[in-house]
Amino acid sequence: MTLLLAGDIGGTKTILRLVESSNSPALNTLYEQSYRSGDFPDLVPMVQQFLAAAKSSTPEKACFAIAGPVVKNTAKLTNLAWFLDTERLAQELGILSIILINDFAAVGYGIFGLTKQDLLTLQAGKHQPEAPMAVIGAGTGLGQGFLIKQGNQYQVFPSEGGHADFAPRNELEFQLLKYLLDKHDIQRVSAERVVSGLGITSIYQFLRDRKIATESPEIAEVVRNWEQEAGQQEKTADPGAAIGSAALAKSDRISEQTMQLFVEAYGAEAGNLALKLLPHGGLYIAGGIAPKIMPLMQDGSFMLNFTQKGRMRSILEEIPVHIIVNQQVGLIGAALCASRL
């Protein structure tokens, strides 16, 4: 038996999980706890408190998924004054092997710890066991990554594909592009500016300012409160969530149109990723948004825009597409990555 420590570290919340690994593929969870990241000056005292509460001996291996880039085994967290270095962490915690990985790379590893109940299939396709796999996920940003079979197991590779250019495909999307260029006084618009939680708000503002329909007082108040809090670290309003809920309830016309445009753009970007990788091993949709708007993801609009690629349509119709509904996939992936060390 090998004792492993997995962590999903964010600027606001950190989840730690102690697991036990044996010869079987399954990992046995021994203890788990969630912490407010800002309550600790560094990861080390948090882990020490966690292990003391778990009444555990020192794990042999650890993997921490970081909400941000990992460069040469170091990471500086966004919105948190932590600088993590694997060599320092190993020395201060007494753990023999430690690795830091991008939180979206952890999602890639986590795929192999999911069950059928953790997935909702949008398109069965024709699965090819040796083919590449792809992961895309809209949340705070737009994560993208891919997996390649090497020997007996897949290697996970994160990417910055969410920062590639947003590609409008019709008159409304061209107007959205021009709106964002002018509003932010920028030279280009990334896919992430449209396909993300912030993107939902941006689309709403665009439709509102173009007077596409009349705002409901409830959503208007949430969006304006958020606009007034611009630049503040702590925000009391979450317009993306409010807009998504209003669209599902069909209680606000602009919110409905916002989410329609969002889902179409999301499907198109997922299709772009699929064209570049041909992930016949499966394309997995992660992130916090998709599970919250499941009826909108299932109404056919996402897959229509995913496959609407001209002559390539027949190829994309053969790619399996799944939504990950287990929001702990990153923590599962961190534990599986630790087991490989």
Side-chain angles (χ1 to χ4, degrees), residues 44-339:
V44 171
M46 180 189 288
V47 171
Q48 290 171 336
Q49 181 176 316
F50 170 80
L51 293 176
K55 299 178 181 179
S56 169
S57 57
T58 302
E60 296 178 37
K61 307 173 185 179
C63 174
F64 300 108
I66 310 296
V70 176
V71 181
K72 295 181 179 178
N73 300 318
T74 65
K76 173 69 173 70
L77 271 77
T78 307
N79 301 325
L80 194 65
W82 290 7
F83 181 78
L84 304 180
D85 177 279
T86 54
E87 186 174 342
R88 177 182 68 84
L89 291 173
Q91 183 177 6
E92 294 185 18
L93 292 172
I95 299 175
L96 293 176
S97 298
I98 295 181
I99 187 170
L100 304 176
I101 61 174
N102 173 265
D103 57 348
F104 214 73
V107 173
Y109 285 107
I111 288 172
F112 302 103
L114 299 177
T115 66
K116 289 184 178 180
Q117 288 69 36
D118 296 323
L119 299 172
L120 187 147
T121 298
L122 294 181
Q123 177 171 275
K126 296 180 180 178
H127 182 260
Q128 297 178 16
E130 302 296 317
M133 302 163 70
V135 189
I136 186 170
T140 304
L142 178 63
Q144 296 186 14
F146 59 98
L147 298 84
I148 303 293
K149 189 75 171 289
Q150 294 182 344
N152 294 324
Q153 61 185 9
Y154 276 87
Q155 297 298 317
V156 180
F157 301 92
S159 83
E160 294 298 337
H163 294 285
D165 296 336
F166 168 59
R169 300 162 300 137
N170 53 52
E171 181 59 32
L172 188 61
E173 290 184 355
F174 275 107
Q175 290 180 23
L176 172 62
L177 174 66
K178 184 66 165 61
Y179 173 86
L180 292 173
L181 290 170
D182 292 346
K183 181 181 178 65
H184 299 289
D185 191 22
I186 51 180
Q187 300 300 313
R188 62 180 291 273
V189 172
S190 68
E192 184 174 271
R193 278 195 183 269
V194 177
V195 185
S196 65
L198 182 61
I200 291 173
T201 307
S202 295
I203 295 170
Y204 180 94
Q205 291 171 317
F206 160 68
L207 295 174
R208 176 199 65 190
D209 295 348
R210 290 293 186 273
K211 303 187 186 306
I212 299 296
T214 303
E215 284 186 286
S216 69
E218 296 80 11
I219 304 302
E221 182 180 4
V222 172
V223 173
R224 279 172 174 74
N225 286 342
W226 179 83
E227 291 171 335
Q228 291 168 5
E229 293 173 343
Q232 299 179 20
Q233 275 199 334
E234 296 291 332
K235 290 185 170 60
T236 59
D238 185 354
I243 293 165
S245 296
L248 288 171
K250 299 186 183 301
S251 61
D252 178 67
R253 182 58 182 154
I254 298 183
S255 294
E256 289 182 62
Q257 291 179 307
T258 295
M259 296 310 299
Q260 179 66 29
L261 202 161
F262 170 82
V263 170
E264 290 173 358
Y266 199 172
E269 179 61 18
N272 289 340
L273 179 63
L275 281 177
K276 293 168 185 174
L277 297 171
L278 298 180
H280 289 283
L283 182 138
Y284 292 82
I285 302 164
I289 295 178
K292 295 175 183 176
I293 59 166
M294 197 67 80
L296 303 179
M297 296 293 291
Q298 292 179 282
D299 70 2
S301 180
F302 182 93
M303 289 309 305
L304 174 64
N305 287 271
F306 177 85
T307 56
Q308 205 168 54
K309 304 295 183 184
R311 293 175 296 169
M312 298 294 107
R313 182 186 186 97
S314 60
I315 293 176
L316 293 181
E317 287 176 340
E318 294 185 351
I319 292 175
V321 180
H322 313 282
I323 296 177
I324 299 173
V325 298
N326 186 334
Q327 291 300 288
Q328 289 198 317
V329 60
L331 196 60
I332 294 170
L336 288 171
C337 181
S339 71

Side-chain angles (χ1 to χ4, degrees), residues 31-43:
Y31 186 72
E32 182 178 320
Q33 190 59 260
S34 177
Y35 300 93
R36 277 178 50 87
S37 302
D39 290 345
F40 296 83
D42 185 69
L43 179 61

